[in-house]
Amino acid sequence: MDYVASRDIRLVPSPVCSLVRKAEDRMLPSQWEALNDRLSEGPKSYSVRNLRAAAGEIEFPHAGAVFQDSDLFKWIEAASYALGRKRDAALEEKIDWLVSLMQKAQRPDGYLNTYYILTDINKRFTNLRDHHELYCLGHLIEAAVAYFEATGKREILDVTLRYVELVNATFGFEEGKKHGYPGHEEIELALVKLYRLTKDPMHLALARYFISARGTNDYFDDEAALRGDKPGWAWSVYSHRNRYYQADEPVTEMTMAKGHSVRQLYLLTGMAELAYETGDEKLMSACDTMWKDITRRQMYITGAVGQSSFGEAFTLDYDLPSDIVYGETCAAISLYFFAATMLKSHPLGEYGDIMDTLLYNGTLSGINEDGTRYFYVNPLECIPKRSKYSQSVFHVRTQRQPWYGCACCPPNIARMLTNLDERLLLKDKNTLYVNLFASLDAETQLEGGSVSITETTDYPNSGSIVFRVNRAFPGFTLALRLPGWVQTYSLKINGQNPPCVMDEGYIRISGLSDGDEISYVLDMPARLVEAHPLSHATVGKAALMRGPVVYCLEEIDNGGELWNVLISPNATFTLTPDARFGTVISAPVLKQETDGWDEYELYAPLRENKYRQFTARFIPYRLWNNRGEGEMRVWLRLKQG
Amino acid sequence: MDYVASRDIRLVPSPVCSLVRKAEDRMLPSQWEALNDRLSEGPKSYSVRNLRAAAGEIEFPHAGAVFQDSDLFKWIEAASYALGRKRDAALEEKIDWLVSLMQKAQRPDGYLNTYYILTDINKRFTNLRDHHELYCLGHLIEAAVAYFEATGKREILDVTLRYVELVNATFGFEEGKKHGYPGHEEIELALVKLYRLTKDPMHLALARYFISARGTNDYFDDEAALRGDKPGWAWSVYSHRNRYYQADEPVTEMTMAKGHSVRQLYLLTGMAELAYETGDEKLMSACDTMWKDITRRQMYITGAVGQSSFGEAFTLDYDLPSDIVYGETCAAISLYFFAATMLKSHPLGEYGDIMDTLLYNGTLSGINEDGTRYFYVNPLECIPKRSKYSQSVFHVRTQRQPWYGCACCPPNIARMLTNLDERLLLKDKNTLYVNLFASLDAETQLEGGSVSITETTDYPNSGSIVFRVNRAFPGFTLALRLPGWVQTYSLKINGQNPPCVMDEGYIRISGLSDGDEISYVLDMPARLVEAHPLSHATVGKAALMRGPVVYCLEEIDNGGELWNVLISPNATFTLTPDARFGTVISAPVLKQETDGWDEYELYAPLRENKYRQFTARFIPYRLWNNRGEGEMRVWLRLKQG
């Protein structure tokens, strides 16, 4: 099973199409300005400047983080997905220029990392734990594969292959090689992608090496000793100092998500990609165990993951505080990648459900409506004045920013969105799976013949999806994801109830003929959701959802002190279409008043508190903070009895 | 108005007496072992060793924190209060030995700080911001005053006076002097105490200098520049980097408690002491403003203060999370000192109420039953496994520790408790104020004559207090604090209802004669308390109190997952006397069960959750964690409707 390629799909206006267009039209150009240090506000990137300096074009010391190259590579990857749909000479000229700089910067033996080229190249590969060289190479590989596939131009691929050769000559189980692996995973999944293009067994073997060597030795401590450094530093407060890097035990022994969340999830994605490619059941079983831990015990309702600001890390099962959460945009994106890989390995609807959750909540909350400002941290509750005075939420920015000193998230959203069309449909033998819902025309080859379908929907604003089979063949099966949140739905083929089979989250429809029209209507009422009672931070609270979309209250609509709002389990919701927010939901709520409390009274015996009823206005969480700074809250106190 | 001196009071067995005896019999000896690095577990103190090395008795580099001397000085102060009640040759021998070491260590010009003596004395007074020299001197002054007053031995006082002379010659508004002030306040209050003993105007003037210079210049930045350091560091994340040190504005302009909580409160105590001594109304008004901010907007129900682990700091009004709280034991103690000073400046019952709250909750929670293990951080909610995996609560130790690398709290509790008798009664003209309730015999001189009273009580286990007037004089008034939590009480004199006046939290009784017996019964039912609705972390929750005592649930009595416990506003409480916990309270509660939730279900539409009724067992919060590690919780969800 694999995703239906972008070239087989033509997007038609719908919410998904708008997201792809926003990424192409707004994010790519504005990020190009950022990468070239031409934004009028925010920190500078220095990533283009570093590459120019490494190429000998200008004289400048390295600036920015050691992993700054990766922002550029992610941007190239994002742009390449756009080019795959539509070539663009001006955009390609920019990338070709960057590739020409890479060619000049690359050392004779293939090495290419601006940090070490511009500082001390003799120190390269001496600090895998902290210095992200292999992480940057991973992103270079992804960029190279994407650009080559989009344009057929192979210069960037050649540069990359030379660097991979060097890395393969440097690292491995063999005697004489360094027995290391990256402190920040990413290259593992990239090497599997590269293998898929090149079919060079070395590329797969190198991915397997990095995954299977991980956590089996004390490499990070050993290399630190060679550098004359102390082993570990702040992260040592974890029970084992290598836990932060997922390097405290072999990867197949992991049972609880741990350490830096993006690293954890890129590692899992790499493991799943390798298992997908090789059929390694032990790896896939570890991925499954970790999938369950993350999505059933350590994931916010928005799909956000990584509860702790310290270490940008996972904490423990059922520890899901709304305010002090980290929920890095990149972590949500990496969970989306992990889900996408799991899905192509096994057509289980829940993988698509989580992708849906992530797309419409915890990833898109990372960008503003305009596509030019970003959140790095995605809280489920924001009290702006706390972010000013309480260190527990200093990491929670109360407004999206134009750029970050560590700007991993912006180009990551870009590459996720420009590649969104390639996560909509999958095919396996004679079955076409519909994963994420979007208006499109698709024509693709299955084993028994080619099929052509048209899909029309305003999802997630509406749960109504219409498919038209333009061309089918005998034996063709259309499998429609039935989201886990659906309580009632209707399915008609040409107005009739069809015979169909529900299996692992999909409705499988066979016997389709050319011209058949399938009306698939997922009833999408507003619903209150609660969390497992082991989640100490959410007990007694409810969140409002509609379809895959999590809603929130904002101060601009509802006033402040939102922690005092109570919602009844029986509240009646009014849904109103809204040009800006898709669907706005209103509901009567109660608000505990401060009336009757003296300003000098902090604790007092229970009293009859006053409650004011008002109509609360809920908007989709992902769209919060598009109207200035203010309080925001997802989880509301639930009125009992 | 001033406190009735310890020498006028004889404690009789009661809870207060037990606390004083525990401090004398258990804490002082075990802390002596700790200060001499003879504990079998926990970090070493090095403070005696540092002093011996500074005295040239042994060869050792300085070890431990730069302020390690202060632990020794606080212990001397604590021991002195015990000696004031009863001389003890063995204890005095220890202190005299320490004083002889101080004499040897003191530099010819009076300087005495082991850190700089053992490192580079030329750098002394070059880092007031971080290096605590004046803080240590403050504690030396308090020790010297206490030891001199207890024993009449003046060697330590002479050592101290020489050091104070040097400091006075070094710092001040005058040209040629450094215009600095301590990064950690403490010396201000100590100098006022010293002045009270010596009547040397310089001592009062120096206190006034340190207080009035504070925040009026950029001294910390200037001295950093002279050292070649960058100004500020991590604390710079505060809106102004000197906010952490209360040095961002003149002290009389402060309106919101800020920065390091112990520093803030020692400063306020110093300001209040100076205002008490001089009648400075502007200073007293600033103290009053800050008192209100702290006790009505930034204080936990236990009296704990300092919400933030980062910076051990205050955050903002009504920000009172139970789990990530810092609530340093020293901060509660310093609030107790501030309250005590405010009280002698103005006989307002609420100052005593807060002292009561602090004594029976947020300070005593810092020690175990045995008096040999300590909490530095005092949470209102503990989930032990979170402290292992979530950085937000890494600072919350789940078990009391035998000692700390930064062991400011243990000797601070000791000096608070050994001096507890001197905070029980106050006198002003012909009025004797009863502040904290304890069994005692007191005989003291008022303006119109001497009085002798006997007080008998088991407070806070019982609200019944009996006074017997052994000797009075015409015009004598006895003022009994009527705690703010009291809803009903009875007061009888020789079985009759007396004429009396309620005024600012005191019941004033006049016309007493020798032999009169006053029965004062404060009804002490269990009561549920809620917090101001602006306190986002406690809304919808209640805490159980009885008298001044805050109660909690512990896992050992009630099982885990205490966040799932709901209590009804109308719950009936059963009070049971208990040898270990004074009074144990039981009440029927509901517990939301996890039954019906699949282990793989994290979010789901609202359902009928199951609740199990059981009888919860509440114990006084201060006594939690005396039976092993486990969950603990003060604030419980309130059952509505």
Side-chain angles (χ1 to χ4, degrees):
Chain A
M1 180 145 105
D2 202 357
Y3 286 96
V4 173
S6 173
R7 64 179 169 275
D8 289 352
I9 295 171
R10 192 178 64 82
L11 290 177
V12 174
S14 78
V16 160
C17 186
S18 301
L19 288 170
V20 175
R21 296 288 168 258
K22 180 159 84 172
E24 290 174 341
D25 299 344
R26 310 281 318 190
M27 297 176 74
L28 289 177
S30 72
Q31 292 187 6
W32 177 249
E33 295 306 298
L35 295 166
N36 282 280
D37 309 332
R38 291 192 295 254
L39 291 188
S40 59
E41 42 171 352
K44 294 210 182 307
S45 163
Y46 302 115
S47 58
V48 172
R49 201 186 85 176
N50 287 338
L51 183 58
R52 293 178 66 203
E57 220 187 50
I58 53 171
E59 278 271 348
F60 262 115
H62 184 274
V66 293
F67 48 82
Q68 220 71 344
D69 291 356
S70 61
D71 293 343
L72 209 52
F73 301 151
K74 279 191 278 189
W75 180 85
I76 294 174
E77 183 189 348
S80 300
Y81 297 133
L83 294 171
R85 279 183 294 277
K86 189 177 169 203
R87 300 290 292 267
D88 175 335
L91 187 53
E92 288 176 41
E93 196 180 314
K94 291 183 177 79
I95 297 172
D96 292 341
W97 172 63
L98 293 175
V99 174
S100 74
L101 293 174
M102 290 180 208
Q103 290 173 317
K104 287 182 205 154
Q106 189 164 40
R107 299 296 94 171
D109 64 359
Y111 188 80
L112 179 54
N113 179 290
T114 69
Y115 174 74
Y116 281 104
I117 289 173
L118 293 173
T119 56
D120 181 355
I121 197 152
N122 295 316
K123 291 193 173 159
R124 72 186 196 180
F125 300 140
T126 60
N127 190 352
L128 293 198
R129 191 188 66 200
D130 307 318
H131 278 187
H132 295 60
E133 282 158 294
L134 298 177
Y135 165 85
C136 289
L137 172 54
H139 281 300
L140 174 59
I141 293 170
E142 291 199 274
V145 170
Y147 194 61
F148 172 75
E149 290 189 333
T151 65
K153 299 182 187 173
R154 55 173 303 129
E155 290 78 1
I156 187 172
L157 193 59
D158 290 336
V159 163
T160 303
L161 291 173
R162 289 177 59 208
Y163 192 5
V164 171
E165 285 288 348
L166 173 67
V167 167
N168 185 56
T170 307
F171 297 98
F173 284 121
E174 298 86 345
E175 212 169 315
K177 288 185 174 181
K178 289 174 187 268
H179 306 318
Y181 35 82
H184 195 314
E185 302 92 322
E186 149 66 21
I187 195 171
E188 302 83 354
L189 72 90
L191 284 166
V192 181
K193 284 191 179 182
L194 182 62
Y195 165 76
R196 216 165 276 143
L197 174 68
T198 63
K199 302 295 179 206
D200 181 341
M202 179 268 276
H203 297 154
L204 196 63
L206 190 55
R208 193 199 307 269
Y209 163 73
F210 282 131
I211 287 171
S212 54
R214 189 164 206 91
T216 62
N217 58 18
D218 290 322
Y219 186 79
F220 293 155
D221 291 349
D222 296 345
E223 65 162 14
L226 285 174
R227 291 194 307 272
D229 283 0
K230 287 184 189 164
W233 53 293
W235 313 129
S236 65
V237 292
Y238 282 93
S239 49
H240 184 293
R241 65 185 169 276
N242 285 331
R243 186 176 166 83
Y244 169 78
Y245 312 95
Q246 301 83 41
D248 56 329
E249 60 187 348
V251 300
T252 48
E253 289 172 23
M254 295 189 294
T255 53
M256 186 169 112
K258 62 192 173 186
H260 188 269
S261 53
V262 175
R263 299 178 201 224
Q264 172 71 83
L265 282 156
Y266 281 168
L267 169 62
L268 289 169
T269 308
M271 288 164 61
E273 286 286 352
L274 184 61
Y276 172 78
E277 207 56 46
T278 63
D280 185 324
E281 288 181 13
K282 207 170 161 193
L283 264 187
M284 185 44 77
S285 162
C287 287
D288 182 59
T289 297
M290 294 295 281
W291 168 265
K292 290 188 172 114
D293 182 63
I294 292 167
T295 60
R296 281 88 181 270
R297 293 188 288 272
Q298 295 207 58
M299 186 187 80
Y300 287 88
I301 193 169
T302 58
V305 284
Q307 302 98 316
S308 175
S309 157
F310 179 81
E312 308 183 320
F314 285 103
T315 59
L316 68 159
D317 292 349
Y318 298 112
D319 183 46
L320 296 158
S322 293
D323 54 346
I324 61 176
V325 54
Y326 203 69
E328 185 185 339
T329 306
C330 279
I333 294 169
S334 57
L335 177 54
Y336 170 91
F337 292 152
F338 180 37
T341 303
M342 292 299 279
L343 178 59
K344 70 179 179 181
S345 306
H346 186 158
L348 198 58
E350 73 166 80
Y351 298 126
D353 289 358
I354 297 287
M355 292 173 76
D356 222 2
T357 296
L358 286 159
L359 177 59
Y360 293 113
N361 301 289
T363 61
L364 284 181
S365 56
I367 50 171
N368 68 348
E369 282 177 314
D370 204 31
T372 56
R373 286 179 172 262
Y374 309 89
F375 274 136
Y376 192 107
V377 165
N378 295 277
L380 282 80
E381 166 186 328
C382 178
I383 302 175
K385 65 186 170 195
R386 282 188 82 200
S387 282
K388 186 169 173 198
Y389 290 112
S390 172
Q391 188 270 345
S392 61
V393 288
F394 280 170
H395 62 284
V396 177
R397 304 299 288 260
T398 59
Q399 298 259 48
R400 289 185 187 83
Q401 305 295 313
W403 203 249
Y404 288 87
C406 171
C408 47
C409 301
N412 223 356
I413 308 188
R415 71 181 183 135
M416 173 189 165
L417 292 182
T418 58
N419 194 37
L420 192 49
D421 55 350
E422 218 164 56
R423 295 291 172 266
L424 303 176
L425 305 173
L426 298 95
K427 57 184 180 179
D428 184 29
K429 301 195 179 91
N430 287 328
T431 302
L432 184 70
Y433 289 87
V434 178
N435 179 35
L436 303 176
F437 304 114
S439 295
L440 53 81
D441 293 321
E443 184 164 349
T444 196
Q445 187 69 33
L446 305 187
E447 280 186 10
S450 80
V451 292
S452 164
I453 65 160
T454 297
E455 178 180 354
T456 309
T457 185
D458 193 33
Y459 188 93
N461 299 326
S462 144
S464 170
I465 309 151
V466 176
F467 297 91
R468 191 182 156 83
V469 179
N470 304 315
R471 186 169 67 256
F473 58 87
F476 167 63
T477 299
L478 184 66
L480 306 179
R481 184 168 59 87
L482 180 65
W485 53 260
V486 172
Q487 296 186 312
T488 56
Y489 70 98
S490 78
L491 181 70
K492 305 263 186 198
I493 300 181
N494 305 323
Q496 304 295 313
N497 293 323
C500 53
V501 181
M502 248 304 287
D503 181 28
E504 296 196 315
Y506 288 91
I507 300 171
R508 292 164 188 274
I509 311 168
S510 303
L512 291 165
S513 310
D514 295 3
D516 280 354
E517 189 172 280
I518 303 164
S519 161
Y520 186 39
V521 180
L522 310 175
D523 293 333
M524 215 183 245
R527 68 187 189 281
L528 288 173
V529 171
E530 64 187 333
H532 194 291
L534 288 180
S535 165
H536 58 86
T538 46
V539 73
K541 295 176 184 159
L544 180 64
M545 293 189 72
R546 177 172 175 266
V549 178
V550 175
Y551 277 73
C552 71
L553 293 184
E554 278 202 292
E555 182 172 357
I556 194 171
D557 297 316
N558 303 287
E561 301 158 25
L562 294 171
W563 57 86
N564 278 327
V565 172
L566 284 98
I567 190 154
S568 164
N570 310 313
T572 307
F573 297 98
T574 306
L575 279 56
T576 312
D578 185 279
R580 188 168 191 182
F581 298 116
T583 301
V584 162
I585 303 179
S586 39
V589 296
L590 291 176
K591 185 166 175 195
Q592 185 174 337
E593 295 288 89
T594 54
D595 294 11
W597 280 84
D598 189 289
E599 69 167 307
Y600 290 142
E601 219 173 4
L602 185 49
Y603 303 106
L606 299 190
R607 63 182 71 188
E608 283 294 320
N609 280 293
K610 287 182 191 158
Y611 293 85
R612 177 172 65 83
Q613 186 170 318
F614 77 98
T615 301
R617 183 169 190 263
F618 295 81
I619 65 157
Y621 163 76
R622 69 179 185 277
L623 294 167
W624 84 280
N625 190 242
N626 274 295
R627 294 172 293 166
E629 188 179 66
E631 268 185 45
M632 180 278 295
R633 178 165 293 248
V634 169
W635 289 98
L636 302 181
R637 289 166 62 199
L638 202 49
K639 192 170 177 321
Q640 307 157 7
Chain B
M1 179 145 105
D2 201 357
Y3 287 95
V4 174
S6 172
R7 66 180 166 275
D8 289 352
I9 295 172
R10 193 178 64 82
L11 290 177
V12 174
S14 80
V16 160
C17 186
S18 300
L19 288 170
V20 174
R21 295 290 168 259
K22 179 158 88 171
E24 291 174 340
D25 299 343
R26 310 281 319 190
M27 297 176 74
L28 289 177
S30 72
Q31 292 187 6
W32 177 249
E33 295 306 298
L35 295 166
N36 282 280
D37 309 333
R38 291 192 295 254
L39 291 188
S40 58
E41 42 171 351
K44 294 210 180 309
S45 163
Y46 302 115
S47 57
V48 171
R49 201 187 85 175
N50 287 338
L51 183 57
R52 291 179 67 202
E57 222 187 45
I58 52 172
E59 278 272 347
F60 263 116
H62 183 275
V66 293
F67 48 82
Q68 220 70 345
D69 291 355
S70 62
D71 293 343
L72 209 52
F73 300 152
K74 279 190 276 190
W75 180 84
I76 294 174
E77 183 190 347
S80 300
Y81 298 133
L83 294 171
R85 279 183 294 277
K86 189 178 170 204
R87 300 290 292 269
D88 174 336
L91 186 55
E92 287 177 43
E93 195 180 314
K94 292 183 177 79
I95 298 174
D96 292 340
W97 173 62
L98 293 175
V99 174
S100 73
L101 292 174
M102 290 181 206
Q103 289 173 319
K104 286 182 205 156
Q106 189 165 40
R107 299 296 92 170
D109 65 359
Y111 188 79
L112 179 55
N113 179 290
T114 69
Y115 174 74
Y116 281 103
I117 289 173
L118 292 174
T119 56
D120 181 356
I121 198 153
N122 295 316
K123 292 194 174 158
R124 71 186 198 184
F125 300 139
T126 60
N127 190 350
L128 293 198
R129 190 187 67 199
D130 308 318
H131 278 186
H132 294 61
E133 283 158 296
L134 298 176
Y135 165 86
C136 288
L137 173 53
H139 281 301
L140 174 60
I141 293 170
E142 291 200 274
V145 170
Y147 193 61
F148 173 75
E149 289 189 333
T151 64
K153 298 182 187 173
R154 56 173 301 131
E155 290 78 1
I156 188 172
L157 193 59
D158 289 337
V159 163
T160 303
L161 291 172
R162 288 178 58 208
Y163 192 5
V164 171
E165 284 289 348
L166 173 67
V167 167
N168 185 55
T170 308
F171 297 98
F173 285 121
E174 298 87 344
E175 211 168 317
K177 289 186 174 180
K178 288 174 188 269
H179 306 317
Y181 34 82
H184 195 314
E185 304 91 324
E186 149 66 19
I187 195 172
E188 302 82 355
L189 72 91
L191 284 166
V192 181
K193 283 191 180 181
L194 182 63
Y195 165 76
R196 215 166 278 143
L197 174 69
T198 64
K199 302 295 178 207
D200 181 342
M202 180 268 275
H203 297 154
L204 196 63
L206 190 55
R208 192 198 307 269
Y209 162 73
F210 282 131
I211 287 171
S212 54
R214 188 163 207 92
T216 61
N217 58 17
D218 290 322
Y219 187 78
F220 293 154
D221 292 349
D222 296 345
E223 66 162 13
L226 285 174
R227 290 195 306 272
D229 284 359
K230 288 185 188 165
W233 53 291
W235 314 129
S236 65
V237 292
Y238 282 92
S239 49
H240 185 291
R241 65 184 168 277
N242 285 332
R243 187 175 166 83
Y244 169 78
Y245 312 95
Q246 301 83 40
D248 56 328
E249 62 187 347
V251 300
T252 49
E253 289 173 23
M254 295 188 294
T255 53
M256 186 169 111
K258 62 191 172 187
H260 189 269
S261 52
V262 175
R263 298 178 202 224
Q264 172 70 85
L265 282 156
Y266 281 169
L267 170 61
L268 288 169
T269 307
M271 289 163 61
E273 286 285 353
L274 183 61
Y276 171 79
E277 206 57 46
T278 63
D280 184 323
E281 287 181 14
K282 207 170 162 194
L283 265 188
M284 186 44 78
S285 162
C287 288
D288 183 57
T289 298
M290 294 295 279
W291 169 264
K292 289 187 172 115
D293 182 63
I294 293 167
T295 60
R296 280 88 182 270
R297 294 189 287 273
Q298 295 206 59
M299 186 187 79
Y300 287 88
I301 195 170
T302 58
V305 285
Q307 302 97 318
S308 176
S309 158
F310 179 80
E312 309 183 318
F314 286 103
T315 59
L316 68 158
D317 292 349
Y318 297 111
D319 183 46
L320 296 158
S322 293
D323 54 347
I324 61 176
V325 53
Y326 203 68
E328 185 185 338
T329 306
C330 278
I333 294 169
S334 58
L335 178 53
Y336 170 91
F337 292 152
F338 180 36
T341 303
M342 293 299 280
L343 178 59
K344 70 179 179 179
S345 305
H346 185 157
L348 199 57
E350 73 167 81
Y351 298 127
D353 289 358
I354 297 287
M355 291 172 77
D356 222 3
T357 295
L358 287 158
L359 177 59
Y360 293 113
N361 301 289
T363 61
L364 284 182
S365 56
I367 50 171
N368 68 348
E369 283 176 312
D370 204 31
T372 55
R373 287 181 170 261
Y374 307 90
F375 273 136
Y376 192 107
V377 165
N378 294 278
L380 282 79
E381 167 186 326
C382 178
I383 302 175
K385 65 187 170 196
R386 283 188 82 200
S387 282
K388 186 169 173 196
Y389 290 112
S390 172
Q391 189 272 345
S392 62
V393 288
F394 280 170
H395 61 284
V396 177
R397 304 298 288 261
T398 59
Q399 298 259 48
R400 289 185 186 83
Q401 304 295 313
W403 204 249
Y404 288 87
C406 171
C408 46
C409 301
N412 223 355
I413 308 187
R415 70 181 184 136
M416 172 189 166
L417 292 182
T418 58
N419 194 37
L420 191 50
D421 55 350
E422 218 162 57
R423 295 290 172 268
L424 303 176
L425 305 173
L426 298 95
K427 57 185 180 178
D428 184 28
K429 300 193 181 93
N430 288 329
T431 302
L432 184 70
Y433 289 88
V434 178
N435 179 35
L436 303 176
F437 304 114
S439 296
L440 53 80
D441 294 320
E443 183 164 349
T444 195
Q445 186 69 35
L446 303 187
E447 281 185 8
S450 80
V451 291
S452 163
I453 64 158
T454 297
E455 178 180 354
T456 308
T457 185
D458 193 32
Y459 188 93
N461 298 326
S462 146
S464 171
I465 308 151
V466 177
F467 296 92
R468 193 182 153 85
V469 178
N470 303 316
R471 188 171 65 254
F473 58 87
F476 168 62
T477 299
L478 184 66
L480 306 179
R481 183 168 59 87
L482 181 65
W485 53 261
V486 172
Q487 295 186 312
T488 55
Y489 70 97
S490 78
L491 181 69
K492 304 265 185 196
I493 299 182
N494 305 324
Q496 304 295 314
N497 292 323
C500 53
V501 180
M502 248 305 287
D503 182 28
E504 295 195 317
Y506 287 91
I507 300 170
R508 292 165 188 272
I509 311 168
S510 302
L512 290 166
S513 310
D514 295 1
D516 280 353
E517 190 173 278
I518 303 164
S519 162
Y520 186 40
V521 180
L522 310 174
D523 293 331
M524 215 184 245
R527 67 188 190 282
L528 288 174
V529 171
E530 65 186 333
H532 194 291
L534 288 179
S535 166
H536 58 87
T538 46
V539 74
K541 294 177 185 158
L544 179 64
M545 292 188 74
R546 176 171 177 265
V549 178
V550 174
Y551 277 73
C552 71
L553 293 184
E554 279 202 291
E555 182 172 356
I556 194 171
D557 297 316
N558 303 286
E561 301 156 26
L562 293 171
W563 57 86
N564 278 327
V565 172
L566 285 98
I567 191 155
S568 164
N570 310 313
T572 307
F573 297 98
T574 306
L575 279 56
T576 312
D578 185 278
R580 188 168 191 181
F581 298 116
T583 301
V584 162
I585 302 179
S586 39
V589 297
L590 291 176
K591 186 166 175 194
Q592 185 174 337
E593 297 287 89
T594 54
D595 294 11
W597 280 84
D598 189 289
E599 68 167 308
Y600 291 142
E601 220 174 3
L602 184 51
Y603 303 105
L606 299 190
R607 64 183 69 189
E608 284 293 319
N609 279 293
K610 289 183 188 156
Y611 294 84
R612 178 172 64 87
Q613 186 170 320
F614 76 98
T615 302
R617 183 169 189 262
F618 296 80
I619 64 158
Y621 163 76
R622 70 179 184 277
L623 293 168
W624 84 279
N625 190 243
N626 274 296
R627 294 171 294 165
E629 188 178 65
E631 269 185 44
M632 181 278 294
R633 179 165 292 248
V634 168
W635 289 99
L636 302 182
R637 289 165 61 200
L638 203 48
K639 194 174 177 319
Q640 307 158 6

